[in-house]
Amino acid sequence: MKIARVQGYRNRQSLVKICFIAIVIIFIYRAFSVTDIKANDIPLKAKASKNSEFSLVEKSIRGNILDRNNNLLAINLIHKKINLDPMIIQEEYIDLLADALEMPRMDFREQIIEKKINKRKYFIVKEKLKVNDPILKNIAELQKKRSKVCFKTSKNPTITLIDKAKKIIGMKPSAKEMIEVNKCARQRIAGVAIESGGFRYYPKKDSIAPLIGKTNSENIGVFGIESEYDQYLAGINGVKRLADNKDNSNIYYDAEMIKKFKQGEDLKLTIDSDIQFHVFNAIKEQAEFHEADSAAAIVLSPNGEILALANYPSTNPNNHQSYSADDYRNRVFSDKTEPGSTMKPFTMLLALDKGVITATDDELIDVKNRVGNIPPDKKYFEMTIQQILEKSHNLGTVMVAENIENEEFYDTWEKLGFGRSLGVMPGTENSGVLRHFSNWGLADKRSLSFGHGPMNTNLAQLARAYLVFANDGALPSLKLLKDENKNENITQVFTPESTQRISQILDSVASDNGSGYRAVIDGYSVAGKTGTAEMVIDGQYNKDGAKRTYFVGYSPADKPKYIMAVRLDYPKKCFVSWDPTMRNRCEGSNSASMAFKKPWKEYSLMILK
């Protein structure tokens, strides 16, 4: 049977071929040009590449802070937190979730309702949970369960025969609203996530908080060591960029380093946490006993290392419920005060070096006549240098100072470091003032000789000055970082001979004959000096009993191992030594010296071990 060709067959065949070739050409063109198509003025190729790139942040871990014996003072701990999405938590699970969280059902339900009303999808219901917290186990078990959950859903209405017929003949069926129906199914709880995080923990708590400081919610140091050395402790977050690579068989190639990751450095301090603990408890208990507003103390080794630095009041930095900036105030560095009679030994050292006195037992200083505004006490008429220091006699000190030039005073006080930053914690320290001698009058020099007038200082500077008694008249710099690589700068301030002689006298000050009799520790030789200074309030010396009391001492007296300075601010309740019920005015002898000694023997033994 012969099949005849349809009329116009060749024409139609040519048309089909042309159309096919045209389609192929268009397809090839589009294949090569699609990457140049723009979407919102951005080429699709560029947009695709951009969408295939992302940055990866590698967070650094903050460095630890340790004491000289590698005991931890600040550390990062792993914690867990429970994050909820109230918008998708099923109604049937709310009470069960409250039980797992160990929260009252009604309170928890009210919180969830409030979050839903405000359309909150992020709700940290528990945080800073230890990894073994039973709440985490409860949540993990709850997440494994399947319970019957009923919910509303929408579905299309049933299609009628008329709608089907309309659809067949090409007519549009009549529009109908979705039908809402109830549906139940066994489901796991939704919207509950256990997340990991880190937090800063301070094992020594309030005993060292003003020195160590703390970090904020962003893990940035805001007080103390945490703030001063934040750039070393914090490290640097690393940033990498991942992008597609068309020349490689892999989807992504090696990450491009945008910012190099650097782990936070550990800091090792010169602090001895055992001594720190006992010193803090000593000043806390003595401040409370004497009803002082505050207290501070610092302990040094002969080479200038800070072994303890305590402040009261303080706070537990692990407690985030309450906060007071005053509890983080480092009074040892930040408070500039007049040090009172604790400066008298340096006046005698200078006088002895200059040949103004001999400090022998037979040398007598006339104290019968008034000098300026300093009257005689009519109790002593002639005194040895030892008696002047033992009794902390102002007039006797001034009589010696009258023979010393202003410039000699200024140069020596400057060598002792007064009026200059110690360089230990620059952001915290108030370096005090030492006014130039060209601006002094007679009253300035006289008051300077017993710790007042044209100078004020912080407790750390005062303690450092006493290092001359442990270094034969030389003065090393203070150190807070252990094994710090820096050139030691030691200044020879007094001669070894003068230093040894005055040190012998200070040994008698901390005895039954001296003002520091309450600093005596049985079985140990202690040398030191008391001090009392009226507080300046509203620009004037307070005459209503507001005083600061001091004791700066060291032990053993001949070869000091520890140097300690203590200050109590405005003690209000002091007693005589022979009757614990008889009140007396507060001086360095009956308040600060007691904090140096510490009535609880085990603390004193720890300091002088």
Side-chain angles (χ1 to χ4, degrees):
M1 178 178 173
K2 186 177 180 181
I3 301 175
R5 292 185 182 273
V6 179
Q7 186 179 9
Y9 168 76
R10 291 185 180 276
N11 293 335
R12 285 193 293 273
Q13 189 180 48
S14 298
L15 180 62
V16 170
K17 288 180 180 179
I18 291 170
C19 291
F20 177 76
I21 292 170
I23 291 171
V24 171
I25 292 172
I26 292 171
F27 176 78
I28 293 172
Y29 170 77
R30 296 298 288 170
F32 282 98
S33 64
V34 68
T35 56
D36 293 326
I37 295 175
K38 294 187 177 182
N40 295 327
D41 296 329
I42 301 175
L44 287 181
K45 181 179 180 180
K47 187 174 182 180
S49 292
K50 186 175 181 180
N51 289 339
S52 66
E53 295 178 3
F54 67 93
S55 296
L56 180 66
V57 177
E58 186 179 7
K59 288 190 174 182
S60 66
I61 299 176
R62 195 171 182 85
N64 299 323
I65 302 175
L66 307 98
D67 80 344
R68 66 190 299 113
N69 300 313
N70 293 317
N71 295 310
L72 286 166
L73 304 179
I75 185 175
N76 294 299
L77 295 182
I78 301 299
H79 70 169
K80 299 287 185 178
K81 60 182 177 181
I82 299 174
N83 185 11
L84 306 181
D85 183 349
M87 302 302 295
I88 62 174
I89 294 176
Q90 303 96 321
E91 173 68 24
E92 290 82 355
Y93 274 107
I94 292 179
D95 288 344
L96 294 175
L97 183 55
D99 294 341
L101 293 169
E102 299 179 359
M103 296 176 64
R105 288 185 173 186
M106 186 62 67
D107 292 346
F108 180 68
R109 183 174 288 274
E110 289 176 357
Q111 291 183 49
I112 295 297
I113 291 172
E114 180 186 354
K115 300 296 181 183
K116 284 186 174 182
I117 292 173
N118 295 316
K119 301 188 183 304
R120 302 289 187 184
K121 295 179 66 64
Y122 189 82
F123 175 31
I124 302 295
V125 66
K126 292 284 185 179
E127 59 182 336
K128 291 184 173 54
L129 298 174
K130 295 181 180 179
V131 292
N132 60 348
D133 195 295
I135 290 177
L136 297 174
K137 183 179 180 181
N138 296 342
I139 295 296
E141 291 176 353
L142 181 61
Q143 289 177 319
K144 294 177 183 177
K145 291 182 179 180
R146 286 183 179 270
S147 298
K148 182 180 179 182
V149 174
C150 293
F151 52 92
K152 291 182 179 181
T153 186
S154 299
K155 73 172 186 176
N156 291 316
T158 305
I159 301 176
T160 64
L161 289 174
I162 296 174
D163 289 335
K164 288 180 179 180
K166 287 181 178 180
K167 192 172 183 180
I168 292 172
I169 64 177
M171 294 180 63
K172 189 176 181 181
S174 56
K176 292 185 178 181
E177 294 183 356
M178 300 288 286
I179 299 175
E180 194 175 71
V181 296
N182 289 325
K183 186 178 179 181
C184 294
R186 296 187 65 78
Q187 294 182 353
R188 287 193 172 98
I189 188 171
V192 179
I194 298 176
E195 300 176 353
S196 296
F199 70 100
R200 200 68 163 163
Y201 181 71
Y202 303 93
K204 304 305 178 181
K205 302 178 180 177
D206 56 346
S207 69
I208 201 169
L211 173 61
I212 299 299
K214 65 176 295 187
T215 58
N216 61 16
S217 59
E218 302 297 324
N219 211 24
I220 298 172
V222 290
F223 292 109
I225 296 292
E226 294 278 30
S227 175
E228 294 278 352
Y229 297 93
D230 185 71
Q231 60 178 321
Y232 304 104
L233 290 164
I236 301 174
N237 291 338
V239 181
K240 298 177 181 178
R241 186 180 67 181
L242 298 177
D244 60 350
N245 182 6
K246 300 305 182 184
D247 299 326
N248 194 307
S249 58
N250 296 322
I251 297 176
Y252 291 100
Y253 62 93
D254 291 339
E256 177 186 358
M257 186 69 68
I258 304 298
K259 184 185 290 186
K260 190 174 180 180
F261 170 85
K262 183 180 179 182
Q263 194 70 276
E265 298 178 23
D266 289 348
L267 283 186
K268 188 173 184 179
L269 306 184
T270 59
I271 296 294
D272 185 313
S273 56
D274 289 331
I275 297 177
Q276 175 74 29
F277 174 80
H278 293 301
V279 169
F280 171 73
N281 278 283
I283 65 170
K284 176 184 177 183
E285 291 165 12
Q286 289 302 304
E288 292 173 349
F289 176 78
H290 293 289
E291 296 183 358
D293 289 349
S294 56
I298 181 172
V299 179
L300 305 176
S301 65
N303 66 353
E305 291 185 339
I306 300 174
L307 302 177
L309 194 154
N311 293 271
Y312 176 82
S314 181
T315 187
N316 182 356
N318 302 311
N319 180 7
H320 300 280
Q321 303 303 315
S322 60
Y323 163 77
S324 170
D326 196 53
D327 290 338
Y328 288 96
R329 181 174 159 193
N330 191 333
R331 292 169 171 80
V332 174
F333 282 115
S334 66
D335 291 5
K336 62 175 184 178
T337 63
E338 292 183 334
S341 296
T342 58
M343 295 300 296
K344 289 175 180 175
F346 303 116
T347 299
M348 299 306 179
L349 274 170
L350 176 58
L352 188 55
D353 264 356
K354 296 298 179 182
V356 172
I357 59 173
T358 60
T360 56
D361 294 338
D362 58 355
E363 180 186 30
L364 296 175
I365 306 298
D366 188 345
V367 292
K368 296 188 297 292
N369 301 314
R370 182 186 187 98
V371 177
N373 60 355
I374 304 170
D377 58 10
K378 297 182 180 181
K379 182 177 180 181
Y380 299 97
F381 302 100
E382 292 180 326
M383 301 180 75
T384 64
I385 297 299
Q386 179 166 326
Q387 288 176 321
I388 291 172
L389 288 176
E390 283 180 349
K391 306 306 179 184
S392 196
H393 203 271
N394 285 353
L395 182 56
T397 304
V398 170
M399 289 298 298
V400 171
E402 288 290 272
N403 298 302
I404 303 173
E405 297 296 328
N406 289 2
E407 186 173 357
E408 293 173 333
F409 259 120
Y410 179 83
D411 289 344
T412 302
W413 263 229
E414 191 177 44
K415 284 182 180 179
L416 288 169
F418 296 114
R420 292 186 297 168
S421 174
L422 293 165
V424 177
M425 295 184 71
T428 302
E429 185 186 1
N430 188 327
S431 56
V433 174
L434 177 60
R435 186 154 41 89
H436 195 266
F437 67 89
S438 60
N439 297 319
W440 294 359
L442 286 175
D444 289 320
K445 183 179 76 170
R446 292 164 182 167
S447 58
L448 182 70
S449 69
F450 54 89
H452 294 273
M455 75 163 293
N456 50 49
T457 184
N458 62 50
L459 195 64
Q461 287 178 340
L462 179 61
R464 180 193 176 224
Y466 270 76
L467 288 175
V468 297
F469 295 109
N471 293 281
D472 289 329
L475 192 64
S477 56
L478 290 194
K479 307 167 192 69
L480 186 56
L481 298 184
K482 189 66 177 171
D483 302 325
E484 187 176 9
N485 293 322
K486 69 176 184 179
N487 295 326
E488 182 65 58
N489 184 19
I490 299 178
T491 304
Q492 191 71 41
V493 185
F494 305 108
T495 63
E497 295 77 18
S498 296
T499 307
Q500 291 168 11
R501 174 56 187 149
I502 299 302
S503 185
Q504 292 171 357
I505 295 175
L506 292 182
D507 189 7
S508 69
V509 172
S511 70
D512 291 339
N513 296 322
S515 61
Y517 64 98
R518 283 190 166 181
V520 175
I521 302 173
D522 293 340
Y524 296 91
S525 61
V526 176
K529 184 70 187 74
T530 56
T532 307
E534 292 177 348
M535 296 175 65
V536 177
I537 299 176
D538 296 329
Q540 294 183 338
Y541 287 110
N542 183 272
K543 300 299 182 182
D544 298 326
K547 298 176 181 178
R548 288 189 172 93
T549 65
Y550 298 86
F551 187 84
V552 187
Y554 49 92
S555 182
D558 54 346
K559 292 184 179 178
K561 187 177 179 182
Y562 298 100
I563 297 90
M564 181 177 179
V566 183
R567 189 188 83 223
L568 298 184
D569 299 326
Y570 197 6
K572 305 170 190 65
K573 188 173 68 173
C574 298
F575 303 89
V576 297
S577 60
W578 60 88
D579 187 347
T581 64
M582 184 180 294
R583 297 284 288 267
N584 194 10
R585 64 180 184 178
C586 289
E587 307 283 351
S589 60
N590 59 7
S591 56
S593 60
M594 295 171 67
F596 178 92
K597 175 185 178 179
K598 193 71 179 62
W600 293 269
K601 188 175 182 180
E602 62 270 23
Y603 294 167
S604 298
L605 293 177
M606 172 59 70
I607 295 172
L608 300 172
K609 62 183 178 179

